[in-house]
Amino acid sequence: MEAAWKDPKLANVLYHDWEAGTYDEKWSISYDERCITYATDRFRAVSGGVGPYEHALELGCGTGFFLLNLMQGGVIKKGSVTDLSPGMVEVALRNAVNLGLPVDGRVADAERIPYDDNSFDLVIGHAVLHHIPDVEAAMREVQRVLKPGGRFVFAGDPTNIGNFYARKLGQLTWWLTTNVTKAPVLTEWRRPQEELDESSRAAALEAVVDLHTFDPGDLERTARAAGAREVRAVTEELSAALFGWPVRTFEAAVPKGKLGFGWAMFAYRSWQRLSWLDENVLAKVLPREVFYNVSITGRKPL
Ligand SMILES: C[S@@+](CC[C@H](N)C(=O)[O-])C[C@H]1O[C@@H](n2cnc3c(N)ncnc32)[C@H](O)[C@@H]1O
């Protein structure tokens, strides 16, 4: 365990193996219309279209959120999932079986993808680039396994500025909630101390597995240096992130089930409205660097 603090790849395996069984619940991941729309919208926002692509590979698939929902949305016909964490690959393949989707999978490091050259029409990832020590090496591997003219889409990684305000807001919300609920009249809103301690330990390990935040322009230069063409980074979520991070942190800081369905609907609908504001108003007047999420796409030259 000690070694994990110095080895980000080992930390990633331990942390994500530990998270695999509860990951979908923690991040409110589902395989229904809500997440199908979310995944296809993210894909379309950066790539400009939605395929369909014959065979796609996902790097850092986690439980399969991105690839499985894109398959259900008709963007991808056949899928291969990979992740550094064996626990995550197992859950992703189980989710695929439950959904009746044609998916195979392997445990794999994105810096050394265990597939032949020119194998895939599309390579995707969601919230994975910021965990990979050598992003340019992974991008070179993506170029190698793509067929000529094939596309890659990586979505959902944090920008430098977005990560700064999201972390600060999260820390402030956690501190406020865990201190205010010490008041005797609010004890039923306080999670048991051992659960709070476990969350704090997880947050400390998170600092070891989260290796990068990105400037959109630098990320484009990295992709081009790896050989990609038609490279384009887009950013999303500003007001939605300023709302969403404190909300998610608050939800994690109070006992499970305390907030109920009404709260979940309030949080989701508010996030939807703010995302609309970000996309249709703020994105037109503010620089892309201030938004929270960055996505990048590009192609392998023909
Ligand atoms: C934040 S999770 C995202 C999972 C999933 N893509 C999603 O959006 O729900 C990041 C995933 O990347 C995986 N990962 C971390 N480093 C990796 C690497 N070097 N190669 C492949 N996968 C990696 C982790 O094990 C984890 O499952």
Side-chain angles (χ1 to χ4, degrees), residues 12 16 23 60-62 65 83-85 88 108-110 126-128 131:
N12 258 292
H16 289 106
Y23 191 81
C61 62
F65 154 73
D83 198 291
L84 201 53
S85 146
M88 286 294 196
D109 182 347
H126 184 267
V128 61
H131 291 301

Side-chain angles (χ1 to χ4, degrees), residues 195-263:
E195 285 181 25
L196 291 174
D197 290 345
E198 191 179 341
S199 294
S200 299
R201 280 195 296 276
L205 199 52
E206 226 169 80
V208 185
V209 301
D210 289 346
L211 301 178
H212 312 284
T213 59
F214 298 101
D215 171 82
D218 287 346
L219 190 56
E220 286 171 339
R221 279 184 280 282
T222 303
R224 285 194 197 103
R229 296 293 172 266
E230 297 175 46
V231 172
R232 182 173 100 106
V234 301
T235 60
E236 297 180 287
E237 287 197 31
L238 173 57
S239 67
L242 290 169
F243 170 79
W245 278 97
V247 163
R248 271 194 292 276
T249 311
F250 175 66
E251 288 168 350
V254 299
K256 268 202 181 84
K258 193 79 189 136
L259 294 164
F261 183 71
W263 168 271

Side-chain angles (χ1 to χ4, degrees), residues 1 4-19 23 26-27 84-85 127-133 157-158 167 201-214:
M1 191 65 191
W5 295 101
K6 296 193 192 98
D7 178 348
K9 285 193 185 170
L10 178 59
N12 258 292
V13 173
L14 294 176
Y15 180 73
H16 289 106
D17 269 357
W18 166 73
E19 264 203 319
Y23 191 81
K26 175 180 171 189
W27 292 103
L84 201 53
S85 146
V128 61
L129 291 181
H130 68 283
H131 291 301
I132 300 172
D157 282 288
R167 286 217 183 247
R201 280 195 296 276
L205 199 52
E206 226 169 80
V208 185
V209 301
D210 289 346
L211 301 178
H212 312 284
T213 59
F214 298 101

Side-chain angles (χ1 to χ4, degrees), residues 123-299:
V123 176
I124 59 169
H126 184 267
V128 61
L129 291 181
H130 68 283
H131 291 301
I132 300 172
D134 189 342
V135 175
E136 192 180 320
M139 294 269 193
R140 276 197 300 273
E141 278 292 87
V142 169
Q143 291 295 299
R144 181 182 67 73
V145 299
L146 274 174
K147 292 177 186 169
R151 178 177 291 284
F152 65 87
V153 170
F154 289 96
D157 282 288
T159 61
N160 295 340
I161 296 175
N163 185 64
F164 177 78
Y165 58 68
R167 286 217 183 247
K168 290 280 174 229
L169 281 171
Q171 284 160 358
L172 181 67
T173 311
W174 183 263
W175 183 85
L176 277 174
T177 312
T178 52
N179 278 295
V180 168
T181 53
K182 279 180 184 160
V185 285
L186 292 173
T187 46
E188 66 181 84
W189 283 90
R190 187 166 175 80
R191 273 176 67 184
Q193 192 57 43
E194 60 276 18
E195 285 181 25
L196 291 174
D197 290 345
E198 191 179 341
S199 294
S200 299
R201 280 195 296 276
L205 199 52
E206 226 169 80
V208 185
V209 301
D210 289 346
L211 301 178
H212 312 284
T213 59
F214 298 101
D215 171 82
D218 287 346
L219 190 56
E220 286 171 339
R221 279 184 280 282
T222 303
R224 285 194 197 103
R229 296 293 172 266
E230 297 175 46
V231 172
R232 182 173 100 106
V234 301
T235 60
E236 297 180 287
E237 287 197 31
L238 173 57
S239 67
L242 290 169
F243 170 79
W245 278 97
V247 163
R248 271 194 292 276
T249 311
F250 175 66
E251 288 168 350
V254 299
K256 268 202 181 84
K258 193 79 189 136
L259 294 164
F261 183 71
W263 168 271
M265 286 318 290
F266 153 76
Y268 179 56
R269 296 268 178 253
S270 306
W271 177 86
Q272 271 185 322
R273 286 189 194 108
L274 292 170
S275 296
W276 183 92
L277 176 74
D278 292 339
E279 187 183 338
N280 294 290
V281 182
L282 300 183
K284 296 190 166 54
V285 292
L286 293 173
R288 63 179 179 166
E289 287 77 10
V290 303
F291 290 77
Y292 176 73
N293 271 316
V294 61
S295 302
I296 185 154
T297 192
R299 282 183 184 277

